[in-house]
Amino acid sequence: MKRIVVLGSTGSIGTQTLEVVREQEGLKVVGLAAGSNVSLMEKQIREFMPSFAVMWSEEAAKELKLKIADLDVKVLSGMEGLVEIASMEAYDVLVTAIVGMIGIRPTIAAIKAGKDIALANKETLVTAGHIIMPLAAEKGVSILPVDSEHSAIFQSMNGDAKERISRIWLTASGGPFRGKKTEEIRDMRVEDALKHPNWSMGRKITIDSATMVNKGLEVMEAKWLFDVSFDQIQVVVHPQSIVHSMVEYVDGAVIAQLGVPDMKLPIQYALFYPDRRPMEQEKLDFFKHSNLTFEKPDTETFEGLALAYEAGRTGGSMPTVYNAANEKAVSLFLNREIGFLDIPRMIKAAMGNHKLISNPDLEQILQTENETYDFIERMVSKEK
Ligand code: NAD
Ligand code: MG
């Protein structure tokens, strides 16, 4: 029996992880954590009977405690609670399906406790990859990708030596605004940006897909997961989202993983690796996909992607600035306080304003995050 803890259990990846638990034998949920959705958390607890549950706010935790007073489940709250369940003794794999940099501390705590990580929370690796990857190696724990592209790369590498890999082709759907030019996307509203053509995901990552910042974060995520240089990572727009990414070898062979767009496959693969389990799901019918197409990304219109390469190549604290500026700008956009193109504009301004720290420790990363949030807030209030 593999015992798992799911951080972000009420979200898109979290609920799909629990579907996998429902469908497959051999997984036991021992801890769940979420932000504020008390009613869904209660349902999940009654179904999966974990020993621990965490709600982000103390208020939500209190409410949850009352609702499940009849059960023997320990309820915790806040960052302390997240770190406590991530470090507890009695489990094997941490599923990080939380959104944003909030995932850094619990992920580090779990690695220190020797737990394998099924990683969906890319923001953690983007900002703290230089701490997490060496720590994971030292502790002998595996970081298993859940992000569909990275799972595809992982599957296509299949343990082959890094030296034999020449390039990664990271596929991108292009999002809802693919093919549009700057003037056409300037006035896009929240509703337009939330209409992803192929994937149903949380709100933040859906906006990130529309700006192509998601692909930028994924470039940095790939760099850390697979220890390749930025020159070896090529983004290719593939609107059908059937080829989930590809690995090119030194002899020119290209190995890809294909499938219908469904996050349950990468989640399941990460949880059972190196095993493959049968899965009830629509299978790929090549007769229905006679037109798989590939395009160069338009980094002029979708500047967020170009800025990610810049932040990644600069390294140090710059990826944190890129990520934190984006997190803040996306939440302002979702609150209708700024426009769509303000997102990359603000990332660029924050990066330009930042004084680089070349090898930031955890405190410096979190401080850079706060300084970046403040910078964006000041920028917005000045422009009002
Ligand atoms: P989501 O918004 O649907 O869910 C986020 C979850 O995190 C929710 O359960 C929420 O309650 C919880 N959460 C948020 N803030 C919290 C806090 N402070 N404390 C505790 N819990 C908190 O997001 P999602 O789409 O599931 O994405 C989760 C992560 O997975 C992101 O990093 C995203 O980039 C990545 N990812 C998602 C997909 C996808 O298909 N949804 C695909 C690849 C990668
Ligand atoms: Mg992805």
Side-chain angles (χ1 to χ4, degrees):
M1 190 60 76
K2 204 174 250 181
R3 298 159 302 174
I4 67 169
V5 168
V6 186
L7 304 187
S9 64
T10 59
S12 159
I13 295 288
T15 51
Q16 292 180 87
T17 301
L18 295 179
E19 274 177 47
V20 171
V21 175
R22 236 177 245 133
E23 289 161 13
Q24 298 290 337
E25 306 247 306
L27 295 172
K28 165 79 186 129
V29 177
V30 296
L32 293 173
S36 54
N37 190 342
V38 173
S39 61
L40 181 53
M41 179 57 103
E42 181 190 358
K43 277 197 198 118
Q44 293 181 340
I45 291 174
R46 293 195 182 277
E47 180 178 356
F48 295 98
M49 290 296 178
S51 330
F52 287 83
V54 180
M55 298 304 301
W56 178 248
S57 76
E58 216 165 296
E59 218 168 288
K62 267 189 200 149
E63 202 185 321
L64 181 68
K65 257 186 213 164
L66 288 177
K67 288 197 169 188
I68 57 161
D70 57 317
L71 301 176
D72 184 21
V73 177
K74 192 167 173 197
V75 179
L76 306 165
S77 67
M79 184 53 77
E80 239 170 77
L82 290 177
V83 169
E84 190 174 331
I85 57 164
S87 354
M88 72 186 178
E89 177 77 29
Y91 84 107
D92 308 296
V93 183
L94 180 75
V95 181
T96 62
I98 219 164
V99 59
M101 287 177 70
I102 206 98
I104 298 180
R105 278 187 195 276
T107 305
I108 291 179
I111 298 171
K112 283 188 175 160
K115 314 297 179 182
D116 287 334
I117 310 290
L119 183 127
N121 177 221
K122 62 192 86 180
E123 295 92 340
T124 283
L125 210 51
V126 165
T127 54
H130 62 291
I131 297 173
I132 285 171
M133 295 314 286
L135 186 65
E138 184 196 321
K139 297 286 176 189
V141 312
S142 306
I143 310 281
L144 297 151
V146 167
D147 212 341
S148 58
E149 296 78 0
H150 303 74
S151 177
I153 295 162
F154 185 58
Q155 293 178 57
S156 301
M157 284 182 171
N158 198 17
D160 216 323
K162 203 196 111 204
E163 294 67 39
R164 300 197 190 112
I165 289 153
S166 59
R167 187 158 42 162
I168 284 172
W169 290 90
L170 186 69
T171 54
S173 70
F177 306 148
R178 181 181 60 89
K180 293 200 188 314
K181 289 290 171 199
T182 307
E183 282 320 306
E184 297 170 89
I185 60 177
R186 187 175 302 284
D187 298 324
M188 288 299 168
R189 295 157 310 158
V190 173
E191 300 73 48
D192 306 315
L194 283 176
K195 275 188 208 129
H196 197 282
N198 304 338
W199 298 96
S200 153
M201 311 178 283
R203 282 157 66 86
K204 191 250 174 191
I205 185 176
T206 306
I207 302 300
D208 288 352
S209 300
T211 56
M212 286 199 79
V213 164
N214 181 50
K215 212 46 57 179
L217 295 171
E218 290 187 356
V219 167
M220 294 189 256
E221 183 185 13
K223 183 234 148 36
W224 288 117
L225 283 172
F226 308 115
D227 190 23
V228 290
S229 71
F230 286 102
D231 292 339
Q232 287 175 291
I233 308 171
Q234 176 62 59
V235 173
V236 54
V237 175
H238 167 50
Q240 298 82 17
S241 296
I242 295 295
V243 178
H244 297 310
S245 277
M246 304 173 259
V247 176
E248 181 188 287
Y249 287 86
V250 285
D251 59 1
V254 177
I255 313 272
Q257 185 253 329
L258 288 71
V260 292
D262 183 345
M263 286 310 294
K264 265 168 37 187
L265 185 127
I267 293 169
Q268 182 173 304
Y269 191 74
L271 290 175
F272 291 105
Y273 175 80
D275 199 7
R276 282 188 189 273
R277 292 283 182 96
M279 195 172 144
E280 289 286 326
Q281 151 234 51
E282 186 198 336
K283 298 293 185 301
L284 192 57
D285 179 353
F286 281 93
F287 300 127
K288 285 190 187 148
H289 295 281
S290 52
N291 237 344
L292 297 184
T293 59
F294 301 91
E295 306 161 11
K296 239 190 175 146
D298 174 1
T299 50
E300 232 167 84
T301 307
F302 299 95
E303 214 188 344
L305 180 56
L307 289 167
Y309 273 95
E310 193 185 319
R313 287 197 168 102
T314 306
S317 51
M318 202 55 93
T320 296
V321 175
Y322 176 90
N323 179 72
N326 178 62
E327 284 188 22
K328 186 79 199 171
V330 169
S331 84
L332 290 166
F333 175 70
L334 284 168
N335 285 335
R336 299 170 201 276
E337 289 177 54
I338 62 171
F340 185 71
L341 288 178
D342 290 328
I343 300 171
R345 187 172 67 86
M346 287 177 173
I347 297 174
K348 192 174 184 174
M351 283 171 62
N353 176 67
H354 179 62
K355 254 180 114 191
L356 190 72
I357 307 166
S358 58
N359 188 22
D361 60 22
L362 184 54
E363 287 313 314
Q364 288 170 316
I365 291 171
L366 299 174
Q367 194 187 332
T368 301
E369 177 193 25
N370 283 329
E371 285 170 7
T372 306
Y373 288 171
D374 290 348
F375 173 82
I376 303 278
E377 263 166 23
R378 281 198 307 276
M379 192 171 164
V380 171
S381 62
K382 246 190 248 160
E383 290 180 3
K384 256 183 190 158

